[in-house]
Amino acid sequence: MSSSPLTADATHPDSRERRPRRESPARTFNSTDGYVVKLVLMALVNALGLFIAWSAWTAGSWFLLGGSLVLLAAADWVYFSRRTVPLKYILPGLLFLLVFQIFTMAYTGYVAFTNYGSGHTLTKERAIDALLIQNERRDPEAPSYPLSILRDAEGTLGFAIVDDGSVRVGDAETPLAAAPDATLEGKRITAVPGWDVLALTDLVGDPALLEKVSELRVPVSEDDAAGSIRTQDGSRGAIYRSVLVYDDAADTMTDVETGVVYRPNDRGSFVAEDGTALGVGWRVVVGFENFTKAFTDSAYAGPFAKILVWTFAFAILTVLSSFLVGLLIAGVFNDPRIRGQKVWRTLFILPYAFPAFLSALLWKGMLHSNPDYGIINQLFFFGQRIEWLDDPTLAKLAILGVNLWLSYPYWFLVCTGALQSLPADVVEAATIDGAGPVRIWRAITLPLLLVSTAPLIISSFAFNFNNFTLIYMLTNGRPRFTDTSAPLGHTDILISMVYQISGVAGGRADYGLASALSLLIFVIVGVISVLAFRQTRKLEEML
């Protein structure tokens, strides 16, 4: 029996030799043109990497410097080696994962173990400099000097003063020094080699330059105790000295006017014997203090418990109500006897088409307590003044209602798709066996629908657990708690509590506590998701 040509080609021992060998795409790309393109792209990558490394070097950020050099070396090795073909495809994704996910989580974990926040945002060295600057006072016994503003080719600003007929020049990093080559007309400095002398009109017409000049401090000499030159109007300079003196050997800060000595403590502050602390501190590691602060600090303990309970209630009730409403509507309009199904389905998903933050703002206006502005009170409650957003209980009901309006179209779409994908033969077999509609729904339809929608229910719970947009746009956490000084309210959930504590909205910031709460939210959502997925797997095994 003769075989077909196709069979003969596939089984003949020499068929592989006759078949033309396919060239690897990677090798094809390594043609002359492709290699040139790769060289150009890698040149751009190396230029960007070296720019980042140089910026890190000049800023003294050794971690960023080391990390950028390691990543740059890895990229060069991967894309110029013939043994790393798979890495060529996945390296960009790995770098994004490392920079935007792992680094962010690691840094959040680091901040959670520090006192990083208002008054403790600097390193100790920079905190000492800030204290010395903030406590500078003008020396009443020192004379003032005719002054000119200088700027070099790189944009560095400096001062030139006339002291006993001679010119002295300096900038923020270089103390005043004699400039014998400078030229004078009377007491006005007209030229300084290496610098441009700015006119006062340039200073007046440039608010940004005026701000920089007013903040500029030029040391009088290498001795910090000699003070620095500062100016208010750009035409005359005076000597300012700090009332605080830092002793590097003793690591103490002394107020020369009062004689009070401030010593560093383990909380990142200079503190006097009477407990008075200087206003600027530095970051230190505080261990698990931030993780226990929400439970032990009187300002946060009470609100935290209420917010935690409300966060769970908000997420569970939102998912449950929107899922049930969406399932009910999907079940009704999945009946083939309903006419105009496409029109009805289009109307039902309209709320889902609007941006959520815009819908929240519209509902905020409609729920205004004044019936002249709030259409809800005007149309449905006979013009009564109902404090929908100012009463703690009504505000929570308003949030649940608005979120139901926003969420049920999503579940309507999901449940409609799930119902239409159920196997019709199973339902038909159950009908032939004598099962009624209720029995079929309870024993077949609902379990199969839950199996297909359970992952979405879990993700919806996680989303609503962190649904910051709705809370911020509709109530911003209000009404506020009256039994605490913390800027928290009855409708805050954990993620909006983190936002309020972080100080982004103003007020005192506590980044350490905010980071600790962020990690706590991550753990809660992660544990609940794992438990829910296990239950879903058991349901699948039962079916």
Side-chain angles (χ1 to χ4, degrees):
M1 189 170 92
S2 63
S3 60
S4 68
L6 180 62
T7 305
D9 288 342
T11 57
H12 196 281
D14 297 332
S15 61
R16 185 173 301 174
E17 296 180 358
R18 294 197 300 270
R19 185 181 303 165
R21 175 177 294 179
R22 296 182 59 188
E23 192 72 19
S24 169
R27 293 181 182 279
T28 303
F29 185 74
N30 283 336
S31 62
T32 303
D33 294 340
Y35 193 71
V36 170
V37 172
K38 185 170 75 172
L39 282 179
V40 172
L41 293 177
M42 289 307 299
L44 294 175
V45 171
N46 279 276
L48 178 62
L50 291 176
F51 173 75
I52 296 174
W54 174 254
S55 301
W57 170 270
T58 55
S61 179
W62 310 121
F63 177 79
L64 180 59
L65 173 63
S68 59
L69 291 178
V70 169
L71 293 179
L72 189 60
D76 285 329
W77 173 67
V78 168
Y79 287 104
F80 286 107
S81 173
R82 293 180 177 274
R83 301 178 180 178
T84 56
V85 174
L87 279 176
K88 288 181 170 63
Y89 295 96
I90 64 175
L91 183 64
L94 289 177
L95 292 180
F96 277 108
L97 177 67
L98 179 64
V99 174
F100 291 102
Q101 294 290 337
I102 298 177
F103 172 76
T104 303
M105 294 186 63
Y107 189 73
T108 301
Y110 161 72
V111 173
F113 288 92
T114 68
N115 64 341
Y116 191 19
S118 296
H120 297 274
T121 60
L122 306 173
T123 62
K124 185 176 181 180
E125 291 74 16
R126 294 185 62 186
I128 291 172
D129 292 340
L131 284 170
L132 295 177
I133 294 173
Q134 290 181 5
N135 288 277
E136 282 185 338
R137 306 287 187 273
R138 181 175 177 177
D139 188 347
E141 299 179 356
S144 61
Y145 305 92
L147 179 144
S148 294
I149 310 298
L150 307 179
R151 183 163 57 191
D152 65 8
E154 298 178 354
T156 303
L157 293 174
F159 288 157
I161 65 170
V162 181
D163 185 9
D164 290 335
S166 61
V167 178
R168 299 174 65 190
V169 175
D171 57 31
E173 304 295 335
T174 309
L176 292 175
D181 296 332
T183 57
L184 281 170
E185 290 183 4
K187 292 184 178 182
R188 188 172 68 87
I189 301 171
T190 57
V192 177
W195 296 87
D196 293 330
V197 180
L198 302 183
L200 286 178
T201 53
D202 298 333
L203 192 64
V204 175
D206 191 342
L209 177 61
L210 181 60
E211 182 178 357
K212 291 180 180 178
V213 169
S214 63
E215 294 176 352
L216 181 61
R217 302 167 59 252
V218 176
V220 174
S221 68
E222 296 288 350
D223 184 8
D224 293 337
S228 58
I229 294 290
R230 302 183 68 173
T231 183
Q232 299 296 326
D233 56 9
S235 63
R236 298 194 68 82
I239 295 179
Y240 285 69
R241 292 188 177 89
S242 177
V243 297
L244 294 177
V245 175
Y246 177 67
D247 187 337
D248 194 9
D251 194 19
T252 58
M253 194 76 75
T254 303
D255 190 323
V256 295
E257 293 182 347
T258 63
V260 177
V261 178
Y262 297 87
R263 303 181 187 281
N265 62 7
D266 58 356
R267 311 297 301 171
S269 297
F270 282 105
V271 182
E273 291 184 356
D274 62 355
T276 304
L278 296 178
V280 180
W282 57 93
R283 297 192 301 268
V284 295
V285 176
V286 295
F288 289 92
E289 180 180 305
N290 289 320
F291 292 90
T292 60
K293 189 175 183 179
F295 305 96
T296 57
D297 192 307
S298 58
Y300 296 106
F304 176 75
K306 298 175 184 176
I307 290 173
L308 182 63
V309 172
W310 162 239
T311 304
F312 274 101
F314 167 70
I316 294 173
L317 292 175
T318 293
V319 175
L320 188 62
S321 61
S322 58
F323 174 74
L324 292 178
V325 172
L327 176 60
L328 176 62
I329 299 175
V332 171
F333 286 88
N334 194 47
D335 193 320
R337 294 172 295 181
I338 298 292
R339 292 185 178 180
Q341 286 182 331
K342 293 183 179 178
V343 176
W344 290 113
R345 286 170 180 168
T346 302
L347 294 176
F348 279 125
I349 65 174
L350 281 180
Y352 192 54
F354 292 156
F357 72 95
L358 183 58
S359 299
L361 285 177
L362 291 175
W363 275 99
K364 184 177 182 179
M366 291 192 296
L367 290 169
H368 197 284
S369 58
N370 190 334
D372 293 335
Y373 306 104
I375 194 172
I376 299 297
N377 285 343
Q378 184 183 17
L379 293 182
F380 301 102
F381 295 94
F382 310 104
Q384 297 296 311
R385 187 181 181 88
I386 302 176
E387 307 283 350
W388 288 107
L389 302 179
D390 298 320
D391 180 80
T393 303
L394 293 178
K396 291 177 181 177
L397 290 176
I399 288 176
L400 291 174
V402 172
N403 209 21
L404 171 63
W405 185 82
L406 290 170
S407 305
Y408 87 84
Y410 169 75
W411 288 112
F412 167 70
L413 290 175
V414 170
C415 293
T416 299
L419 289 173
Q420 292 178 350
S421 64
L422 293 180
D425 55 342
V426 176
V427 178
E428 185 178 355
T431 304
I432 294 174
D433 291 340
V438 177
R439 179 72 179 276
I440 292 175
W441 172 264
R442 183 172 56 83
I444 298 177
T445 305
L446 187 59
L448 290 175
L449 187 140
L450 287 178
V451 168
S452 59
T453 58
L456 298 177
I457 293 176
I458 296 170
S459 63
S460 180
F461 173 83
F463 172 79
N464 283 287
F465 202 85
N466 294 311
N467 195 347
F468 170 80
T469 302
L470 176 67
I471 301 299
Y472 180 76
M473 291 296 178
L474 189 59
T475 65
N476 196 19
R478 293 185 177 89
R480 295 295 184 209
F481 290 120
T482 56
D483 56 350
T484 179
S485 59
L488 303 172
H490 289 272
T491 57
D492 268 319
I493 58 177
L494 285 178
I495 191 65
S496 62
M497 178 181 179
V498 171
Y499 175 78
Q500 301 290 1
I501 291 174
S502 67
V504 178
R508 184 177 178 81
D510 193 337
Y511 304 120
L513 178 58
S515 298
L517 290 176
S518 298
L519 294 179
L520 182 62
I521 294 173
F522 172 77
V523 171
I524 291 174
V525 174
V527 170
I528 292 177
S529 298
V530 170
L531 295 177
F533 275 118
R534 285 186 177 180
Q535 295 300 319
T536 304
R537 195 176 301 117
K538 290 181 180 179
L539 183 60
E540 292 177 353
E541 293 172 354
M542 291 174 60
L543 294 176

